[in-house]
Amino acid sequence: MGRPGSKRFPVQFAVLLALWLSATPVTAQEVPVIAQDRNADSFEILVSIAEDLSPEPSGLRPSDGRLLVMISKDDSTEPRFQVRPGVDAIQVFGIDVESFETGQKIRLDNSVFGYPLESISDLPPGEYTVQALFHRYETFRRGDGHVVKLPMDRGEGQKWSRAPGNLYSTPVVKQLDPTESGRLMLTLDQEIPPIEPPRDTRFIRHIKMKSQLLSEFWGRPMELGANVLLPAGFEEHPEARYPLMIFHGHFSHDFSGFSEQPPAADLPCEYSERFQVDCYNRVEQQEAYDFYRRWTAPDFPRFLIVEIQHANPYYDDSYAVNSANLGPYGDAITHELIPFLEKKFRGLGEGWARFLYGGSTGGWEALAAQVFYPEEYNGCFAACPDPIDFRAYMTINLYEDQNAYFAAGSFRKVERPARRDSLGKVTVTQKDYNHLELVLGTHGRSGDQFDIWEAVYSPVGGNGYPKRIWDKKTGEIDPAVAAHWRENYDLRHILERDWKTLGPKLEGKIHIYCGDMDNYYLNNAVYLTEAFLESTTEPYYAGEVDYGDRAEHCWNGDQENGNHLSRLRYNWMYLPKILQRIEESAPEGADLSSWRY
């Protein structure tokens, strides 16, 4: 799973808004510049584009997208960077807009749906910092005949708050009283600039490759990318060919966790609230430098490490499988990108010399790629994987529960939790996560966790967007969509269903790790999967499932250190097991020496 200044901001211009729960987009023409027909007793927000700012910045056309208005009591940072679910949530409203033009205004009133408060009229009177943002969509004419409007990634990893070309307003501090009639004017007066691409170094290379498979699906040129860490001695040993380690996970702008320089002596300390560790920024930089020293040591085995970049119109990565809504990312990665990289960087180019690892989203991807392409990879190390058995889809049983948001009895219903701490304290509910996503984007376009699961796993709906696994407003589960998920993406079910043919190809390849207090209850699906794996006999799976006592997300198999350290060591912690696997399974005549210099 993944992801969302201390001065006060001056009052400036007039900016933005409007939100709608309806799937029908609002066109700018539907809202008059002078809204004479508004309810005189209601409060409304009007959003416009500054006259000196192009409605089609950076050449992005047409000007369709999602208009967000954020309202916060915290003026220390911009509201666009404060959006999150749970008890610390700020207020957000959103609306679909088509053909947004300079000189037009979009209205938000009491009828629009928001999170956590559902209506503007529910907002208590007070002083707030307010900001608007317009998240741009592009029109895709897909190979399957559907025409959809989605936000293409622009190098930021599907983060609407930082996406180049998006328009936003200068935050303003305002006294609001939505219980009385009134109007707040917001103006989109800023554009997020392009992101500088990372630079190659002697060890790190940044690769882009046009995918024919994905371009055909999306009806436009589509690329796959990779951050590649080269082994020490790569240039000095042109005869060497290398095994490949694929580090699956969320979008990374540059290769992470590797630095040729130690932390600066005068680096100010930054406390990690997540891990409750002082000077954690120093810890991170020291681990990155230590990895560089380990990587270049004389006795270290030489590998290629690849971080795949597969941000797409729905999320910061594709989940590395074929999907009706995202396209054939599994085939594109395995049959286009991996061979391309192995040819360019002298990989061994055979299944016995390829390994997968990652945590959370990357953990699910590592296991899924191993299951769907069992002979193309020789082992996966899946840490804290996203739900791998949909009977434990976090705290939901998709096949038996009727509602994703509530457990209901005869006289009472209780909200289902979605996130907890190590002591079991619930901080976010399923309803929280999903209602925030609904505000951020209709049709699965929030760019967030539940929407990408739905986009990957669901069939295509009649409108070209993913079929809902449940009603996003009420939580009512669709059993027909759940059945589709089960047959195509429930990894435990697929393993059990197909073990007769899969088992011989996966023997010794599956390694799964999870904390027994995973914040997102991901350990529950691991328990169910382990129960099946340990019952296998023809053949026995001969892998590993291990748990961290009281360990939170994302425990990855390190019984000696806490998450704050082990999460920084993915790129070398599984190497002893990988080397053992190579020695046990490499075919006769395999190259086991050219890369051991």
Side-chain angles (χ1 to χ4, degrees):
M1 295 190 62
R3 332 189 249 200
S6 59
K7 65 178 182 179
R8 303 184 68 83
F9 295 97
V11 178
Q12 297 186 21
F13 311 118
V15 183
L16 139 85
L17 165 60
L19 158 88
W20 211 319
L21 173 62
S22 169
T24 304
V26 174
T27 64
Q29 289 76 11
E30 289 177 314
V31 182
V33 174
I34 300 176
Q36 296 175 335
D37 59 341
R38 75 178 181 90
N39 185 340
D41 296 326
S42 69
F43 182 87
E44 66 180 11
I45 301 173
L46 295 181
V47 179
S48 63
I49 300 173
E51 290 294 335
D52 61 346
L53 194 62
S54 167
E56 296 164 345
S58 304
L60 295 174
R61 298 167 182 265
S63 50
D64 305 327
R66 185 74 172 174
L67 183 59
L68 303 173
V69 172
M70 296 144 285
I71 303 172
S72 174
K73 297 290 286 186
D74 178 3
D75 66 354
S76 64
T77 59
E78 294 183 51
R80 63 185 169 126
F81 300 132
Q82 299 178 31
V83 174
R84 62 181 64 86
V87 68
D88 295 324
I90 68 167
Q91 184 62 41
V92 190
F93 297 98
I95 189 169
D96 290 333
V97 180
E98 291 186 351
S99 302
F100 199 3
E101 301 288 346
T102 300
Q104 296 173 324
K105 294 181 175 66
I106 305 298
R107 176 195 293 151
L108 168 70
D109 60 22
N110 293 340
S111 67
V112 302
F113 182 75
Y115 173 84
L117 304 175
E118 294 192 3
S119 171
I120 291 178
S121 62
D122 297 329
L123 191 70
E127 185 178 83
Y128 298 95
T129 300
V130 187
Q131 186 175 36
L133 182 144
F134 184 55
H135 187 28
R136 295 192 166 277
Y137 294 165
E138 297 181 36
T139 299
F140 295 85
R141 291 172 172 80
R142 293 196 316 226
D144 62 1
H146 289 290
V147 178
V148 292
K149 295 182 178 182
L150 294 163
M152 185 59 196
D153 182 76
R154 296 162 223 152
E156 84 288 351
Q158 274 296 2
K159 294 179 175 59
W160 56 264
S161 61
R162 301 179 185 274
N166 281 354
L167 305 181
Y168 65 98
S169 67
T170 301
V172 295
V173 177
K174 283 287 189 178
Q175 190 74 32
L176 303 180
D177 187 358
T179 63
E180 299 182 358
S181 63
R183 174 180 293 170
L184 172 64
M185 306 288 287
L186 298 173
T187 301
L188 302 173
D189 57 355
Q190 306 287 329
E191 178 186 347
I192 300 175
I195 295 173
E196 282 290 325
R199 296 181 179 180
D200 288 350
T201 71
R202 61 173 177 158
F203 288 107
I204 298 173
R205 306 294 164 82
H206 307 91
I207 304 299
K208 296 290 184 184
M209 183 208 75
K210 180 182 176 181
S211 166
Q212 189 66 32
L213 292 171
L214 296 175
S215 298
E216 290 174 358
F217 177 85
W218 285 103
R220 54 155 283 177
M222 295 288 286
E223 291 183 329
L224 288 170
N227 301 324
V228 181
L229 182 64
L230 299 179
F234 179 81
E235 300 292 347
E236 294 80 5
H237 294 269
E239 78 290 349
R241 299 177 67 220
Y242 304 97
L244 179 68
M245 297 195 298
I246 301 169
F247 187 9
H248 274 297
H250 293 285
F251 176 89
S252 180
H253 183 249
D254 202 348
F255 193 93
S256 55
F258 183 91
S259 175
E260 297 183 51
Q261 302 298 324
D266 59 350
L267 182 68
C269 281
E270 296 178 5
Y271 177 74
S272 170
E273 186 66 36
R274 174 183 176 185
F275 298 114
Q276 299 182 19
V277 175
D278 197 19
C279 296
Y280 189 59
N281 57 324
R282 285 178 173 271
V283 173
E284 291 179 306
Q285 293 194 23
Q286 185 63 51
E287 284 289 322
Y289 179 61
D290 288 347
F291 176 45
Y292 156 72
R293 293 193 298 178
R294 185 184 299 269
W295 186 250
T296 56
D299 59 346
F300 196 81
R302 308 308 180 188
F303 277 74
L304 295 167
I305 299 182
V306 168
E307 293 177 340
I308 297 174
Q309 289 184 315
H310 41 133
N312 58 78
Y314 279 101
Y315 198 53
D316 74 352
D317 76 13
S318 68
Y319 275 69
V321 293
N322 295 341
S323 164
N325 292 289
L326 269 69
Y329 271 94
D331 286 352
I333 290 170
T334 297
H335 299 310
E336 290 183 330
L337 180 64
I338 297 304
F340 175 83
L341 295 174
E342 288 174 326
K343 181 178 180 180
K344 186 174 183 65
F345 297 111
R346 306 199 309 268
L348 285 162
E350 297 182 37
W352 67 266
R354 299 181 187 133
F355 295 85
L356 306 150
Y357 59 97
S360 195
T361 291
W364 192 95
E365 291 172 334
L367 181 59
Q370 185 67 79
V371 170
F372 292 135
Y373 303 92
E375 295 179 302
E376 297 295 332
Y377 303 101
N378 198 20
C380 71
F381 300 83
C384 50
D386 287 1
I388 55 178
D389 185 323
F390 295 155
R391 294 174 298 173
Y393 187 66
M394 299 173 71
T395 53
I396 306 161
N397 185 329
L398 290 180
Y399 312 133
E400 295 184 5
D401 293 332
Q402 295 181 341
N403 192 284
Y405 301 163
F406 302 98
S410 298
F411 301 100
R412 178 162 172 73
K413 61 181 182 180
V414 177
E415 279 201 54
R416 298 187 192 277
R419 192 185 190 283
R420 62 182 174 182
D421 65 16
S422 63
L423 299 177
K425 178 182 177 182
V426 175
T427 55
V428 183
T429 67
Q430 300 287 352
K431 181 181 175 183
D432 276 327
Y433 265 120
N434 283 271
H435 277 195
L436 174 57
E437 287 189 0
L438 183 57
V439 170
L440 295 179
T442 56
H443 301 311
R445 295 179 293 195
S446 70
D448 223 311
Q449 189 61 72
F450 286 90
D451 276 349
I452 184 55
W453 284 335
E454 194 170 65
V456 173
Y457 306 150
S458 285
V460 180
N463 59 3
Y465 298 98
K467 281 190 176 181
R468 291 292 194 192
I469 183 65
W470 58 66
D471 185 295
K472 201 73 168 176
K473 184 73 183 299
T474 68
E476 183 179 355
I477 295 171
D478 185 331
V481 176
H484 178 90
W485 284 32
R486 183 174 189 262
E487 293 307 311
N488 292 278
Y489 299 100
D490 185 323
L491 298 182
R492 190 277 319 160
H493 170 73
I494 292 169
L495 284 169
E496 185 170 353
R497 181 193 68 196
D498 300 338
W499 190 254
K500 183 177 180 179
T501 55
L502 274 179
K505 301 174 183 178
L506 294 177
E507 188 175 359
K509 295 183 178 182
I510 294 176
H511 307 77
I512 305 174
Y513 311 100
C514 197
D516 62 13
M517 285 299 292
D518 186 275
N519 300 104
Y520 304 100
Y521 304 87
L522 301 177
N523 50 304
N524 294 335
V526 175
Y527 297 144
L528 295 172
T529 303
E530 180 191 26
F532 162 71
L533 291 173
E534 289 295 340
S535 70
T536 62
T537 56
E538 298 180 6
Y540 177 59
Y541 87 107
E544 177 185 25
V545 181
D546 196 9
Y547 303 93
D549 180 37
R550 295 194 296 176
E552 296 185 54
H553 193 73
C554 182
W555 189 78
N556 60 6
D558 187 341
Q559 294 286 2
E560 304 299 324
N561 299 286
N563 283 3
H564 73 292
L565 285 179
S566 59
R567 66 185 288 270
L568 306 174
R569 298 176 175 179
Y570 276 98
N571 287 317
W572 58 267
M573 65 181 295
Y574 302 124
L575 262 177
K577 295 177 181 179
I578 289 174
L579 290 170
Q580 180 181 351
R581 177 68 185 169
I582 287 177
E583 292 172 358
E584 294 173 349
S585 63
E588 185 176 353
D591 179 1
L592 301 180
S593 60
S594 73
W595 48 279
R596 297 301 299 267
Y597 50 79

